[in-house]
């Protein structure tokens, strides 16, 4: 196995040779063999052990065992202890999920604080099979069937091609000691039920089942690459990136025979979960939204708009009489001028004597009314202006209103108010420009 492992590392992870590695080591069979293999190949690594304090004295026995093993291997040893049950209770997580979150947060912290380059875990081929069956039993797409990835950025799993049987045989041949986790014998957890009851039956039906499974996963991974390539090609036809938003053209999207699959490929990284609602959004009324933890998807006429959920911000800002420039939340420039120039809606010219400072810059309020420039004093609801301008919900949320004494001076970047316009009697002209 040592030669096979060496060849695997050389071919798959050649960049590890000169790097500082952090080996996640529980004291069990798999992680102890991984440490032994890397020691035989003389890699630069340290050992990191988490004591989750879930099995009383046994947990502390594991800790002492791994500490001694690190000394014997002459490797630096990092240890931490967690009150896993309290963490799980506080954050309403299962014990397994809590333990996973705690250990990986700590591992990544060690990378940063201690200057290590990669975290290595001892997941192997049987773990991969068990994960596949768990995902299959819960209902999953292609992502859940392609298996545990060999690398996630700085996290590497070098034992994935090796079976539990190979690893155990190597340990016995090289007199490697390990600790048995008593919880692995219990069928309390789904993974253990699969390991003890289902997998042995599959291997009895086909003694080469694990090898056949690995070949199937290779085919699935190749299919996934094809899906990703097709997804990128179609994305370029359907999507347009505008600032921090992505606009999906629904007319183009609905021409695809399987647009739901493409939507899933494009949106899965944003952690959406209500997929049926997302698919229905395509035919929903304009204005409907679906939310993930940090993003939202908005139906706006013939477009789906993906955007970050805006942070709650201060909604009112004041501009004093001596302010010549404003840099937040908008960049505005205020200056007195001698005459009006033909300009875009990025600037307005107002009678300075009609303005009362401080000016107020705020977001729209329900029921806002103003007198649009050019309408001879007629009033109009700001909401009606937004509708006439065909603004999306996101554009409405991002529009600011400039006020003087509770009267709207400017729906910024869109329309000036008639009441503050330049007249024959105007003595001073104030130009307010959006930059």
């Amino acid at each position: 196995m040592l030669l096979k492992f060496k060849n695997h590392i050389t071919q798959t992870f050649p960049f590890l040779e000169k790097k500082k590695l952090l080996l996640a080591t529980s004291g069990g069979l798999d992680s102890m063999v991984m440490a032994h293999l890397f020691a035989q190949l003389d890699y630069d690594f340290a050992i990191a052990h988490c004591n989750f304090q879930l099995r009383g004295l046994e947990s502390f026995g594991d800790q002492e065992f791994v500490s001694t093993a690190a000394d014997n291997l002459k490797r630096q040893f990092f240890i931490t202890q967690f009150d896993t049950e309290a963490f799980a209770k506080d954050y309403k997580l299962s014990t397994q999920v809590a333990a996973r979150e705690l250990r990986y947060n700590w591992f990544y912290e060690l990378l940063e604080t201690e200057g290590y380059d990669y975290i290595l875990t001892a997941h192997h081929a049987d773990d991969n099979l068990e994960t596949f069956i768990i995902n299959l039993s819960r209902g999953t797409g292609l992502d859940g069937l392609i298996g545990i990835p060999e690398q996630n950025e700085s996290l590497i799993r070098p034992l994935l091609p090796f079976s539990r049987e190979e690893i155990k045989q190597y340990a016995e041949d090289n007199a490697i000691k390990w600790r048995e986790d008593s919880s692995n014998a219990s069928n309390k957890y789904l993974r253990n039920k699969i390991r003890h009851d289902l997998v042995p039956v599959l291997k009895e039906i086909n003694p080469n089942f694990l090898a056949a499974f690995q070949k199937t996963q290779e085919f699935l991974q190749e299919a996934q690459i094809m899906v990703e390539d097709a997804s990128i090609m179609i994305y370029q036809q359907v999507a347009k990136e505008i600032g921090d938003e992505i606009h999906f053209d629904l007319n183009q999207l609905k021409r695809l025979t399987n647009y739901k699959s493409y939507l899933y490929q494009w949106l899965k990284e944003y952690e959406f979960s209500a997929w049926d609602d997302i698919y229905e959004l395509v035919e929903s009324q304009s204005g409907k939204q679906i939310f993930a933890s940090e993003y939202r998807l908005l139906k706006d006429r013939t477009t789906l708009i993906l955007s970050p959920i805006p942070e709650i911000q201060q909604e009112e800002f004041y501009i004093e009489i001596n302010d010549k420039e404003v840099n937040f939340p908008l960049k505005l420039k205020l200056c007195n001028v001698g005459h009006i120039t033909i300009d875009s809606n990025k600037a307005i010219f107002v009678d300075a004597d009609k303005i009362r400072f401080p000016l107020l810059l705020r977001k729209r309020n329900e029921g806002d009314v103003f007198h649009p420039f050019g309408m001879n004093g007629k009033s109009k609801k700001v909401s009606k202006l937004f509708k006439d301008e065909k603004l999306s919900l996101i554009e409405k949320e991002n529009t600011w209103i400039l006020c003087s004494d509770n009267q709207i001076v400017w729906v910024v970047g869109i329309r000036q108010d008639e009441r503050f316009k330049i007249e024959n009697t105007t003595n001073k002209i104030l130009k307010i420009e959006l930059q």
Side-chain angles (χ1 to χ4, degrees):
M1 179 179 172
L2 179 60
L3 179 59
K4 182 179 175 182
F5 180 78
K6 179 181 179 181
N7 291 337
H8 170 59
I9 296 298
T10 301
Q11 293 171 11
T12 311
F13 309 113
F15 51 85
L16 292 182
E17 186 175 357
K18 302 297 183 181
K19 300 298 183 180
K20 292 181 65 178
L21 312 179
L22 190 67
L23 271 58
T25 310
S26 65
L29 168 66
D30 314 323
S31 60
M32 294 307 299
V33 165
M34 179 174 68
H36 188 275
L37 288 166
F38 277 104
Q40 291 296 304
L41 298 178
D42 200 27
Y43 276 75
D44 181 5
F45 69 89
I47 286 177
H49 176 77
C50 302
N51 181 349
F52 296 105
Q53 302 190 76
L54 293 172
R55 293 175 286 114
L57 293 177
E58 187 179 336
S59 292
F60 288 92
D62 292 346
Q63 176 180 320
E64 184 62 30
F65 175 79
V66 177
S67 175
T68 301
D71 287 341
N72 292 337
L73 292 170
K74 296 181 173 54
R75 303 290 168 165
Q76 188 170 4
F77 178 57
F78 297 99
I79 171 67
T80 190
Q81 297 175 3
F82 299 116
D83 188 342
T84 309
E85 290 182 341
F87 181 85
K89 183 178 179 181
D90 289 345
Y91 290 91
K92 297 180 175 57
L93 302 171
S94 70
T95 303
Q96 287 179 307
V97 171
R100 175 183 171 81
E101 192 164 316
L102 286 167
R103 70 174 174 266
Y104 281 109
N105 286 344
W106 182 61
F107 290 154
Y108 285 114
E109 182 181 328
L110 283 178
L111 286 194
E112 185 174 343
T113 59
E114 301 296 332
Y116 285 87
D117 299 300
Y118 294 96
I119 304 161
L120 276 64
T121 67
H123 294 91
H124 50 70
D126 288 81
D127 291 324
N128 211 358
L129 173 59
E130 292 159 10
T131 299
F132 175 92
I133 295 172
I134 288 171
N135 290 339
L136 184 65
S137 69
R138 291 171 175 169
T140 185
L142 190 54
D143 286 345
L145 301 178
I146 60 176
I148 304 171
E150 286 192 309
Q151 182 175 1
N152 288 115
E153 298 180 347
S154 57
L155 176 63
I156 291 176
R157 303 173 179 92
L159 290 181
L160 273 183
F162 301 90
S163 68
R164 181 180 286 116
E165 184 178 340
E166 285 179 279
I167 293 169
K168 186 175 182 181
Q169 187 62 54
Y170 179 84
E172 292 173 347
D173 291 345
N174 291 274
I176 299 171
K177 295 181 180 179
W178 70 87
R179 295 267 294 181
E180 289 289 355
D181 183 339
S182 61
S183 65
N184 288 337
S186 167
N187 275 1
K188 175 182 176 182
Y189 302 111
L190 175 60
R191 182 175 292 274
N192 286 354
K193 286 184 178 181
I194 292 170
R195 180 179 303 166
H196 298 150
D197 299 336
L198 181 56
V199 172
V201 174
L202 295 174
K203 290 181 177 179
E204 181 181 344
I205 294 170
N206 178 6
N208 295 317
F209 182 83
L210 190 58
F213 165 72
Q214 289 175 302
K215 180 60 68 175
T216 297
Q217 284 218 311
E218 288 179 20
F219 296 145
L220 290 171
Q221 288 162 4
E222 291 170 0
Q224 175 73 341
I225 292 171
M226 292 175 62
V227 167
E228 290 172 354
D229 288 345
S231 174
I232 292 170
M233 291 175 60
I234 300 300
Y235 178 87
Q236 293 169 348
Q237 300 172 22
V238 173
K240 180 184 291 186
E241 297 179 4
I242 304 174
D244 58 359
E245 299 175 5
I246 301 175
H247 292 217
F248 298 99
D249 185 329
L250 288 179
N251 292 328
Q252 292 279 358
L253 183 70
K254 288 192 286 187
R255 291 174 185 168
L256 304 172
T257 56
N258 194 13
Y259 69 77
K260 294 180 181 179
S261 296
Y262 287 106
L263 277 178
Y264 176 80
Q265 285 294 124
W266 298 330
L267 299 176
K268 64 183 180 181
E269 65 182 277
Y270 299 99
E271 299 184 354
F272 285 95
S273 58
W275 292 107
D276 288 341
D277 292 338
I278 287 175
Y279 302 146
E280 291 173 5
L281 195 62
V282 172
E283 302 293 347
S284 296
Q285 63 184 23
S286 188
K288 187 173 180 181
Q289 304 176 82
I290 305 296
F291 290 88
S293 58
E294 297 181 7
Y295 290 85
R296 64 177 171 181
L297 191 64
L298 165 71
K299 169 71 177 292
D300 181 49
R301 302 176 182 83
T302 60
T303 307
L304 288 183
I305 302 175
L306 175 70
S307 66
I309 296 174
E311 296 180 5
I312 297 175
Q313 298 177 339
Q314 180 183 345
E315 292 295 311
E316 294 185 349
F317 299 85
Y318 288 93
I319 301 173
E320 302 294 340
I321 192 169
N322 293 322
D323 291 339
K324 302 302 181 186
E325 289 189 0
V326 176
N327 292 312
F328 189 83
L330 298 173
K331 293 190 72 172
L332 295 175
K333 184 178 179 180
L334 292 81
C335 62
N336 291 318
V337 296
H339 61 279
I340 298 174
T341 57
I342 298 174
D343 234 317
S344 68
N345 57 4
K346 297 297 182 183
I348 61 170
F349 297 86
V350 297
D351 188 325
D353 292 328
K354 296 178 182 179
I355 293 291
R356 296 290 177 267
F357 284 90
L359 301 179
L360 172 64
L361 195 59
R362 63 168 173 82
K363 293 294 182 70
R364 176 176 68 99
N365 292 330
E366 192 68 33
D368 268 343
V369 174
F370 80 125
H371 298 258
F373 186 86
M375 288 185 61
N376 300 317
K378 293 181 180 179
S379 64
K380 185 174 188 175
K381 285 189 175 182
V382 173
S383 59
K384 181 67 166 57
L385 173 70
F386 285 174
K387 184 176 181 180
D388 292 345
E389 294 290 327
K390 297 183 178 180
L391 300 188
S392 70
L393 176 61
I394 296 169
E395 290 170 325
K396 294 174 186 176
E397 291 174 348
N398 291 331
T399 298
W400 291 88
I401 293 177
L402 185 67
C403 299
S404 170
D405 272 355
N406 295 319
Q407 291 184 325
I408 293 175
V409 178
W410 188 19
V411 180
V412 180
I414 301 177
R415 199 76 173 268
Q416 178 182 344
D417 191 289
E418 175 90 9
R419 292 168 291 183
F420 298 88
K421 69 180 182 180
I422 306 302
E423 298 181 300
N424 293 332
T425 57
T426 297
N427 294 315
K428 288 194 301 183
I429 300 173
L430 177 65
K431 179 181 180 181
I432 306 175
E433 184 178 9
L434 176 65
Q435 297 187 309

